[in-house]
Amino acid sequence: MRQEKVTYCRICEPLCGMIATVDNDELISLRPDKQHPLSKGFACPKGIAFTEIVNDPDRVLHPLRRTPDGEFEQVSWDTALAEIGDRLRQVHRRHGSSGIGWYFGNPATFSTGHTLWTATFTNLLGTPHVYSAGSQDVNNRFVASHFLYGNPVAAPIPDINRVDLLVIMGANPVVSHGSVMSSPRIREGLNAITARGGRVLVIDPRHTETAREHEWLPIVPDTDALLLLSLLHVMFDEELADESRLRQQAAGLDTLKDIVAEYPPETTAARTDIDAGTVRALARSLVHTERAAVYGRIGTSLGRAGTLTTALLDMVNLVAGNLDVVGGAMFGDLGIPGQRAGVTALQHFSRFAWAGRRSRVGNLPQVLGTAPASVMAKEITTRGRGQLRALFVSAGNPVLSVPNGAELSSALDDLELMVSLDIYRNETNAHADYILPATTMYERGDFLLPFQALFTTPFKQATDPVISPRGEAREEWTVINELVAALSRRVPALGALHAMNTVSARVGRMWNPERLSDVVVRMGVGGNRFGLRRGGLTYRRLVRDEPHGVVVADGLAPGQLRDTIIHRDRKIHLDAPELLAEFDRLADAADPRLPLRLIGMREIRSENSWQHNAPMLLRGGREHAARMHPDDAEQRGIAEGDLVVVRSAHGHVELPATITDDIKPGVVAIPHGWGHNGSGGWTRANSAAANDLGSGGVNVNALISSDPGDLERLAGMANMTGVPIEVSLLDTAAPRPDASATLGAQT
Ligand SMILES: Nc1nc2c(c(=O)[nH]1)N[C@H]1C(S)=C(S)[C@@H](COP(=O)(O)OP(=O)(O)OC[C@H]3O[C@@H](n4cnc5c(=O)[nH]c(N)nc54)[C@H](O)[C@@H]3O)O[C@H]1N2
Ligand SMILES: Nc1nc2c(c(=O)[nH]1)N[C@H]1C(S)=C(S)[C@@H](COP(=O)(O)OP(=O)(O)OC[C@H]3O[C@@H](n4cnc5c(=O)[nH]c(N)nc54)[C@H](O)[C@@H]3O)O[C@H]1N2
Ligand code: SF4
Ligand SMILES: [Mo]
């Protein structure tokens, strides 16, 4: 029987409403939900194409075990779990908990169960080897907030609905649909700003899809910190800032003033290529526009000093009077009583916030209990106490997403045990001993806890699964419960959890993601507070009575700062010594042999590495090319479509060049997530983006350093933008330096 089920997309952050057509427990199609109060009938091509992913014949639907000849064979769950349990206990006996590690990738964040169970398991296990996509993405945000507010999870988000001057630095929301903010229909949200007479200014080395619809101010990659320092300089120099307010809100103002005195726009212009007059005018506008905000994302996170840059973004908002006010950069909240106490407790009692531990290789600080993924390969290969010997990878493809995939690929083969939980065979789990089939989002219900404080219009939605798990796929949290059981006799904390699980299973009250989320729904804004508020929300009521979701407040509430700040003095700290120590990283990295600068870019029909197998997203052909400016191309004798070699100090890739005016001279953009080289089980991804060199694209992270010394120091961020490179015409007649480079990635 054909049914229409209301649900929502969980690929990226807006979480757009979807209507799933289901026939006989088969997903037939997906279309945007017109009744969703925020996405109102919008969904992007990735969201619509997801039917093809759910039903993809290349999906992993049964547990797989690697055979001695390197192929995979199907085994039962019982066999897989029993063998994994045995091997895990052996590793534990030999190496202890610190021999066991976990990498969770981006889609893990889009599943409450996956996130919470992974965190609980790895915490109770007590291993330092927890890695995630965060060190290539957002961990600098957490660390900046840790120093500024004492609260790593405080993240100011731009008040899109009410802002009149929005400065976007290093983000491309028209393609990415917004990040570290959930704002469905963001493109319209931005257009509404200009429609009400406001401005959107995009500061980006590339004339992006977002910049094309608004004002574009090109910048030299990895110089945003200098621009922000100059904005602060002008605000103090021209006495635009309200100092008495600042002294009430913040500590360390004099130190900040002393520092920014050194960065007049007239001196930073040579590095940023933004003239002083423009900077001065922008500083004035940010102060004088009643509702203004500066927002940064990937482009301001992946330079050499991402934590400092992000802290400076907040400082500009603060000094201009735009932090925590309507139309500025605002703090979302879950509306749960005792939230603040909760974060404080976590800060004190777990290795939650920052540098609870440092990595064995590179001595880099952990962020929210995770170490930089760039050092994972060396943690596997570097002998000695604490060496990583067994690795779980869930919803991740670090061979393509982390620097130096070649190094990681070969390290993975050194492990005593590698287990992947994924929906596909990818370039990473090609090295696994076991691949365990996971459900896709439509095979599980969810209320997404991590995004609750990030909606630009406070909103709640919960969904049941729309179809049952395909094949033998299982939800990750249930598999993690099995791992808890497997190690229960070896790790006391896991033993205690296992005992609780066993008792609660007996009385039919097992903890599951829905029960945990229900607590948050009941305690949160609009919740029923366990009966204290009649008619309030519960998880079940959300699913049953509000399937399209509910807007729980008209807008973000101003005046959250005092409850957000955990520092004892309740002030924002502007002078953390750790941040001040980062200033030496702002020096110029110029290398005459590598005069160009690499930046990344996202494509509308890709989601990192994992949606290149959906026919709808490959329609009309795809290419993987390096975008460069005509001046740079001409100087090097490169014409449109020519094959080129791109070299950095760390590696090289070979791919076609595309020549475009839509990029600042001196800058080259290459999308990540490609480099499908046949090792993953992706039939179509492997043959997509074909050119004379092969297909599947190249892994741009071959150009990125995994050397601990090259990582950003405070959050261990990989330096993926502004990397010095050179591009030259590929001499196809010359002997190839590295045959593997022709087949996409050096993986
Ligand atoms: N279609 C699509 N959507 C996605 C994804 C996807 O792969 N495809 N991925 C999702 C994920 S995981 C994330 S984290 C978000 C990311 O969301 P965004 O950050 O909005 O996405 P990016 O396209 O990476 O935008 C980064 C921008 O920074 C610019 N940039 C690079 N270096 C610099 C610099 O030094 N300074 C400045 N000012 N700008 C710079 C780039 O040109 C680019 O336009 O997107 C999410 N949404
Ligand atoms: N050069 C460069 N590198 C980058 C970036 C960049 O901008 N430039 N961006 C970085 C960023 S922001 C991110 S987030 C990372 C992403 O890095 P990763 O998360 O490591 O890689 P993904 O390509 O997102 O791979 C996700 C995997 O999860 C699987 N999957 C999808 N849904 C599910 C599910 O529900 N359950 C399970 N178990 N598996 C699932 C997919 O099949 C795929 O194998 O890449 C980073 N790497
Ligand atoms: S923008 Fe696209 S991928 Fe992201 S949540 Fe919406 S429909 Fe899904
Ligand atoms: Mo990301």
Side-chain angles (χ1 to χ4, degrees):
M1 195 187 65
R2 215 166 251 253
Q3 274 175 294
E4 308 256 275
K5 296 192 177 182
V6 183
T7 183
Y8 60 96
C9 180
R10 284 152 271 169
I11 299 170
C12 77
E13 293 169 63
L15 309 176
C16 303
M18 284 286 186
I19 304 291
T21 305
V22 176
D23 193 1
N24 212 357
D25 201 30
E26 295 289 327
L27 179 63
I28 304 296
S29 65
L30 291 160
R31 63 183 161 81
D33 179 6
K34 292 197 179 124
Q35 293 179 62
H36 187 286
L38 301 176
S39 65
K40 295 182 198 135
F42 172 82
C44 81
K46 295 177 297 167
I48 302 295
F50 210 81
T51 310
E52 297 181 340
I53 290 183
V54 171
N55 299 321
D56 193 336
D58 285 342
R59 245 186 93 177
V60 176
L61 294 177
H62 305 278
L64 300 177
R65 176 175 65 191
R66 185 207 290 282
T67 61
D69 59 10
E71 293 299 307
F72 285 101
E73 63 184 0
Q74 186 178 325
V75 292
S76 71
W77 270 103
D78 284 350
T79 305
L81 289 171
E83 291 180 7
I84 291 167
D86 277 344
R87 291 175 68 175
L88 203 50
R89 283 187 291 271
Q90 278 170 33
V91 171
H92 195 267
R93 210 168 289 130
R94 281 199 293 272
H95 309 283
S97 289
S98 58
I100 301 170
W102 199 293
Y103 171 94
F104 58 95
N106 171 278
T109 321
F110 292 86
S111 157
T112 296
H114 195 158
T115 310
L116 292 181
W117 262 250
T118 311
T120 306
F121 175 72
T122 52
N123 250 291
L124 295 181
L125 178 63
T127 174
H129 292 299
V130 187
Y131 304 94
S132 79
S135 50
Q136 292 68 251
D137 184 344
V138 69
N139 283 358
N140 60 312
R141 170 70 265 176
F142 302 133
V143 179
S145 294
H146 165 75
F147 288 121
L148 293 170
Y149 313 110
N151 179 352
V153 295
I157 52 178
D159 186 11
I160 299 288
N161 303 335
R162 295 174 290 194
V163 70
D164 289 324
L165 167 59
L166 179 63
V167 178
I168 299 178
M169 294 179 77
N172 187 15
V174 166
V175 168
S176 70
H177 303 104
S179 181
V180 191
M181 77 168 141
S182 287
S183 197
R185 284 188 172 266
I186 181 93
R187 184 179 185 183
E188 258 171 45
L190 298 179
N191 286 330
I193 299 171
T194 43
R196 60 179 175 258
R199 284 177 67 194
V200 176
L201 174 68
V202 180
I203 304 181
D204 198 300
R206 193 168 72 85
H207 192 210
T208 60
E209 296 73 1
T210 310
R212 280 176 226 158
E213 297 187 6
H214 300 280
E215 294 169 55
W216 179 40
L217 182 57
I219 188 171
V220 173
D222 201 15
T223 64
D224 301 81
L226 299 170
L227 170 61
L228 293 163
L229 285 162
S230 287
L231 288 171
L232 289 166
H233 175 98
V234 177
M235 289 176 195
F236 291 117
D237 184 48
E238 299 189 5
E239 295 180 0
L240 304 168
D242 175 349
E243 285 212 21
S244 65
R245 171 184 56 80
L246 284 175
R247 286 190 198 281
Q248 279 170 17
Q249 289 183 309
L253 188 64
D254 293 322
T255 308
L256 180 68
K257 285 177 71 177
D258 286 349
I259 291 170
V260 304
E262 313 279 315
Y263 294 90
E266 291 71 17
T267 63
T268 54
R271 293 276 308 284
T272 59
D273 203 18
I274 299 176
D275 71 89
T278 305
V279 180
R280 287 189 178 270
L282 179 58
R284 289 175 207 136
S285 300
L286 282 168
V287 175
H288 292 143
T289 308
E290 175 83 27
R291 296 176 169 193
V294 181
Y295 160 79
R297 239 340 247 124
I298 285 291
T300 49
S301 293
L302 300 182
R304 288 168 302 153
T307 304
L308 175 61
T309 305
T310 295
L312 289 168
L313 282 166
D314 287 18
M315 290 184 203
V316 166
N317 281 324
L318 170 75
V319 173
N322 296 330
L323 190 67
D324 193 32
V325 296
V326 167
M330 303 182 74
F331 296 94
D333 100 288
L334 300 178
I336 303 177
Q339 236 178 114
R340 187 190 147 84
V343 177
T344 316
L346 279 168
Q347 289 256 49
H348 287 296
F349 298 119
S350 88
R351 303 176 190 95
F352 189 63
W354 182 75
R357 283 179 171 173
R358 286 185 171 266
S359 59
R360 185 177 69 113
V361 173
N363 193 35
L364 288 153
Q366 281 199 345
V367 181
L368 298 180
T370 65
S374 294
V375 303
M376 194 159 67
K378 292 188 181 68
E379 290 283 9
I380 297 170
T381 53
T382 308
R383 301 200 177 281
R385 252 179 95 86
Q387 188 180 0
L388 177 53
R389 300 311 299 145
L391 179 67
F392 290 82
V393 175
S394 62
N397 194 6
V399 163
L400 295 192
S401 64
V402 164
N404 200 348
E407 178 193 40
L408 182 59
S409 277
S410 70
L412 294 176
D413 290 331
D414 257 22
L415 288 164
E416 290 173 35
L417 173 67
M418 178 180 165
V419 180
S420 154
L421 287 80
D422 209 288
I423 61 172
Y424 278 120
R425 283 174 55 195
N426 63 23
E427 290 72 22
T428 302
N429 63 27
H431 303 270
D433 299 296
Y434 298 87
I435 305 177
L436 304 176
T439 53
T440 64
M441 58 187 169
Y442 292 120
E443 294 146 62
R444 61 178 182 252
D446 224 330
F447 170 79
L448 285 177
L449 297 182
F451 296 93
Q452 290 309 306
L454 298 176
F455 271 101
T456 51
T457 303
F459 178 75
K460 290 191 191 319
Q461 186 172 17
T463 181
D464 278 341
V466 301
I467 50 171
S468 54
R470 304 294 87 182
E472 294 183 275
R474 292 189 183 176
E475 289 189 44
E476 296 83 357
W477 66 274
T478 65
V479 180
I480 295 172
N481 279 347
E482 304 279 353
L483 302 177
V484 171
L487 286 174
S488 59
R489 297 218 172 143
R490 296 207 54 85
V491 182
L494 292 176
L497 178 60
H498 178 60
M500 269 163 47
N501 281 349
T502 316
V503 172
S504 29
R506 230 171 265 151
V507 297
R509 296 287 287 171
M510 262 312 254
W511 277 105
N512 60 29
E514 179 172 331
R515 288 189 60 205
L516 281 170
S517 303
D518 186 47
V519 174
V520 177
V521 175
R522 284 172 192 258
M523 294 307 292
V525 185
N528 89 338
R529 299 267 152 95
F530 291 94
L532 289 179
R533 203 193 273 142
R534 285 199 53 198
L537 295 172
T538 65
Y539 191 103
R540 278 291 110 210
R541 273 209 58 197
L542 263 180
V543 173
R544 198 186 54 225
D545 302 340
E546 307 281 1
H548 306 280
V550 268
V551 170
V552 290
D554 290 341
L556 294 163
Q560 302 289 322
L561 206 48
R562 273 184 70 80
D563 284 332
T564 301
I565 298 173
I566 305 283
H567 291 312
R568 283 227 171 83
D569 58 3
R570 298 273 182 123
K571 287 185 174 185
I572 303 175
H573 290 190
L574 303 176
D575 58 352
E578 292 86 348
L579 284 177
L580 301 184
E582 286 296 284
F583 278 89
D584 63 345
R585 289 260 166 149
L586 302 183
D588 198 355
D591 176 344
R593 289 160 306 169
L594 301 169
L596 300 173
R597 290 288 177 274
L598 174 72
I599 62 169
M601 60 174 283
R602 286 177 154 74
E603 300 165 292
I604 201 89
R605 292 187 294 160
S606 296
E607 180 71 9
N608 299 315
S609 76
W610 65 281
Q611 301 200 343
H612 295 144
N613 212 49
M616 270 168 111
L617 300 178
L618 299 174
R619 231 178 248 165
R622 295 288 298 267
E623 63 164 13
H624 190 223
R627 282 165 183 71
M628 62 192 299
H629 191 271
D631 295 352
D632 296 320
E634 198 185 26
Q635 271 174 31
R636 292 165 178 80
I638 297 167
E640 174 65 28
D642 279 351
L643 297 173
V644 295
V645 190
V646 182
R647 280 173 211 289
S648 74
H650 317 288
H652 70 279
V653 291
E654 299 173 354
L655 76 172
T658 274
I659 296 166
T660 169
D661 282 323
D662 282 336
I663 196 162
K664 192 176 161 51
V667 182
V668 176
I670 306 180
H672 72 285
W674 292 92
H676 305 295
N677 57 7
S679 64
W682 279 324
T683 337
R684 286 173 297 274
N686 287 326
S687 54
N691 58 50
D692 291 346
L693 294 173
S695 61
V698 296
N699 179 2
V700 69
N701 287 326
L703 300 170
I704 309 296
S705 174
S706 68
D707 184 340
D710 290 329
L711 303 181
E712 190 265 349
R713 281 181 296 213
L714 297 181
M717 301 301 291
N719 175 202
M720 294 171 152
T721 200
V723 178
I725 53 165
E726 176 57 312
V727 179
S728 48
L729 207 54
L730 177 69
D731 180 358
T732 37
R736 316 305 297 279
D738 175 357
S740 69
T742 57
L743 237 197
Q746 292 150 35
T747 52

